[in-house]
Amino acid sequence: MAETLPSILLVDDEVHSLNAMRMALEDDFECLTALNADEATRLMEENFVQVIFCDQRMPGRSGVEFLKEVRDRWPETVRIIITGYTETSDMIAAINEAGIYQFLTKPWHPDHLVMSAKNAADLFRLNRDHERMSLEMRYLSRNVETKLEEQRKALREGLGFENVLRSPNSPMNAVIAQARQFASFDVPVMIIGAPGTGKTALARAIHYSSLRSDRPFHEINCTGVDDEILEIELFGARRGALHGQQGHKPGLLQKADRGTLFINGIAELSPRMQLALLRVATEGRFRPLGSHEEFRTDVRLLTGSSRDLRAEVAANRYRSDLYYALARATLVVPPLSERRSDIAILAQSLLFDAASAHGKPVHGLSEDAVQFLENHDWPGNLRELENEVMRMLIFSQDSVLGPELISRHILQAAPGREEGVDPSTDRVLTGSGTLKDRVEWIETRILRETLTRLKWNKSRAAAELGLSRVGLRAKIERYGIAEPGKASQPEED
């Protein structure tokens, strides 16, 4: 890559002086010119300027007034003032107010001008190198005890694979076994699974089980995010690149340097962002918004996708080089409908977390409530389960949460239904079978949901359904609906 020339801003209200400075410097520098302070400010906002040569006496704001603003907004830029006057008071004011690096008097010699410019550019570079080295020294100064304490803290908070809850016979066990193997190899991993299946928790567990566990972990979900915002969040923005920005905005690639970055929703990237991320994935290079220089990053990329991208690659709808760079290893996370044995553990954990966060003590879920939760397909996966548990906690009056708190559409699913039976009411309405069988199937669901929600108070259930207690008991016996945990129903409530 060709080395870019340092940028210099030349400010003078005399056109011939401006042209003379540009002709002397343009072989060694990228020269920007302005005839007044306002035009110079606009150029500073739009460009990455290392050195400024500014005339002192100009219409409007003087050179000192302009360079004082530069010192406040762009303190890294080296400031040199050119004047035809040598009043001591002006020089002292300029040094104190604007932080002037050097004075040049008119008329100046071209060789002297070029030497001053090169020295100023070297000073800019040295200052930046010093800043970078200071940051590295502060980072390296952290002692071993601090690192060990961070690892202990991560372990206490359960950020490893112990945080991925599952039962002894869970389908997740095979996924976790693979993930443990991938964690010890510093390669990109693509995690594939429907929204809400826990891809972020799995990515975090991989990081805290890897050799980068004492380095930062950051995450971002790029689904539905505009390219401009996503570019700033990932790559950052240099000072002056954004309106109202006071300083450099670091991106996640800088924040996660030597650590791990999890990018979820990778399938939704636009072609432009795919190309930008390809440079990071293959070369470890990126360029912040508004910057004229490239940065390097040593970051491990973990990515999440809601669908398998191989079909997208085959159809030329996704860059194959990016896919293969990010999918050096792949993990497929099963949906919650395939993890019924995990639902009890997950629901109880989510309940205790929510109860602790909201200060409402509970003892757990009843067996009947767990049975109903296990019979639901959970198309929204863990997010839907978390919402349902929170709803139960909000309406609970007892320390043990029973099935009467569960949403009606979940209660209507038959406990212990056979595998492969479609619970969809729409499918029953439009499917095959006699009218009598289909009506009875729906009626059974309504009866079971009402009785469960009303804690099997048959008097209240009969009143709500517009039935007599005798008629309700007859339907219960006819459809074989049994109260969970009881062999027979009492004659009276």
Side-chain angles (χ1 to χ4, degrees), residues 408 446 449-450 453-454 458-467:
R408 301 179 71 169
I446 295 174
E449 179 271 322
T450 304
R453 176 165 45 83
L454 299 178
K458 291 189 286 296
S459 296
R460 291 178 59 193
E464 181 176 310
L465 295 172
L467 300 171

Side-chain angles (χ1 to χ4, degrees), residues 289-471:
L289 182 67
S291 175
H292 294 274
E293 59 180 323
E294 288 189 330
F295 288 77
R296 291 192 63 86
T297 181
D298 174 21
V299 64
R300 183 182 189 182
L301 291 176
L302 304 180
T303 53
S305 174
S306 59
R307 60 183 186 272
D308 193 339
L309 288 176
R310 287 178 295 182
E312 302 289 316
V313 171
N316 291 324
R317 292 191 295 267
Y318 202 89
R319 293 188 67 101
S320 61
D321 46 6
L322 177 61
Y323 170 76
Y324 290 115
L326 297 176
R328 300 283 295 277
T330 58
L331 289 169
V332 180
V333 184
L336 206 53
S337 60
E338 299 177 10
R339 300 173 54 190
R340 297 193 187 278
S341 62
D342 296 344
I343 290 177
I345 297 175
L346 292 169
Q348 298 279 13
S349 176
L350 290 170
L351 173 63
F352 291 133
D353 288 345
S356 175
H358 295 276
K360 188 172 184 178
V362 295
H363 291 161
L365 298 165
S366 70
E367 293 184 7
D368 299 338
V370 171
Q371 187 177 18
F372 276 101
L373 295 178
E374 288 177 340
N375 287 327
H376 186 53
D377 281 336
W378 303 107
N381 294 294
L382 289 170
R383 295 170 187 167
E384 183 185 1
L385 178 61
E386 183 178 12
N387 289 349
E388 184 62 32
V389 169
M390 175 59 74
R391 180 184 182 277
M392 295 175 67
L393 177 67
I394 291 172
F395 291 107
S396 65
Q397 300 296 325
D398 302 321
S399 60
V400 177
L401 280 60
E404 70 277 359
L405 300 169
I406 299 175
S407 299
R408 301 179 71 169
H409 70 283
I410 298 176
L411 290 178
Q412 289 175 0
R417 68 169 187 264
E418 297 179 4
E419 290 294 328
V421 176
D422 191 340
S424 171
T425 302
D426 291 339
R427 186 64 61 88
V428 174
L429 294 175
T430 59
S432 60
T434 66
L435 176 62
K436 177 176 178 294
D437 291 339
R438 291 153 70 185
V439 170
E440 287 182 352
W441 188 88
I442 294 177
E443 191 173 43
T444 301
R445 294 185 64 177
I446 295 174
L447 288 169
R448 181 179 291 106
E449 179 271 322
T450 304
L451 287 165
T452 303
R453 176 165 45 83
L454 299 178
K455 298 185 178 180
W456 280 81
N457 185 317
K458 291 189 286 296
S459 296
R460 291 178 59 193
E464 181 176 310
L465 295 172
L467 300 171
S468 66
R469 286 187 297 173
V470 174

Side-chain angles (χ1 to χ4, degrees), residues 102-274:
Q102 185 180 1
F103 278 84
L104 287 181
T105 58
K106 295 181 179 179
W108 41 263
H109 192 278
D111 293 340
H112 188 199
L113 186 72
V114 172
M115 181 178 295
S116 298
K118 289 183 177 180
N119 290 339
D122 289 340
L123 176 63
F124 180 90
R125 178 181 55 79
L126 290 172
N127 285 337
R128 287 179 59 85
D129 289 343
H130 175 72
E131 181 182 357
R132 185 180 298 111
M133 290 177 64
S134 297
L135 290 173
E136 291 178 356
M137 289 299 295
R138 284 199 294 270
Y139 180 84
L140 293 173
S141 65
R142 292 164 51 187
N143 56 39
V144 175
E145 185 60 34
T146 304
K147 295 180 180 180
L148 290 175
E149 180 56 32
E150 289 178 352
Q151 291 176 342
R152 294 190 196 103
K153 180 181 178 181
L155 185 60
R156 285 195 301 268
E157 294 175 350
L159 296 176
F161 289 108
E162 298 78 10
N163 193 43
V164 184
L165 299 178
R166 57 203 185 278
S167 65
N169 59 341
S170 169
M172 280 296 293
N173 291 334
V175 180
I176 296 299
Q178 282 186 309
R180 288 185 187 275
Q181 295 293 109
F182 295 154
S184 59
F185 288 83
D186 201 22
V187 297
V189 179
M190 182 174 290
I191 305 173
I192 303 169
T197 50
K199 296 189 291 293
T200 301
L202 189 58
R204 187 179 290 109
I206 291 174
H207 168 73
Y208 283 102
S209 300
S210 71
L211 298 176
R212 296 176 181 251
S213 59
D214 59 340
R215 307 298 187 183
F217 173 85
H218 290 277
E219 59 179 286
I220 184 173
N221 193 328
C222 50
T223 303
V225 181
D226 292 337
D227 280 4
E228 292 76 9
I229 298 176
L230 185 59
E231 182 179 7
I232 295 171
E233 290 299 316
L234 284 175
F235 306 132
R238 301 302 296 168
R239 179 182 288 109
L242 302 176
H243 178 69
Q245 179 187 356
Q246 296 299 319
H248 168 63
K249 175 180 173 57
L252 290 177
L253 288 170
Q254 284 181 273
K255 294 179 180 179
D257 189 32
R258 291 183 282 187
T260 303
L261 175 60
F262 175 58
I263 307 177
N264 206 354
I266 200 75
E268 311 304 323
L269 288 181
S270 68
R272 184 171 76 87
M273 290 306 299
Q274 290 180 38

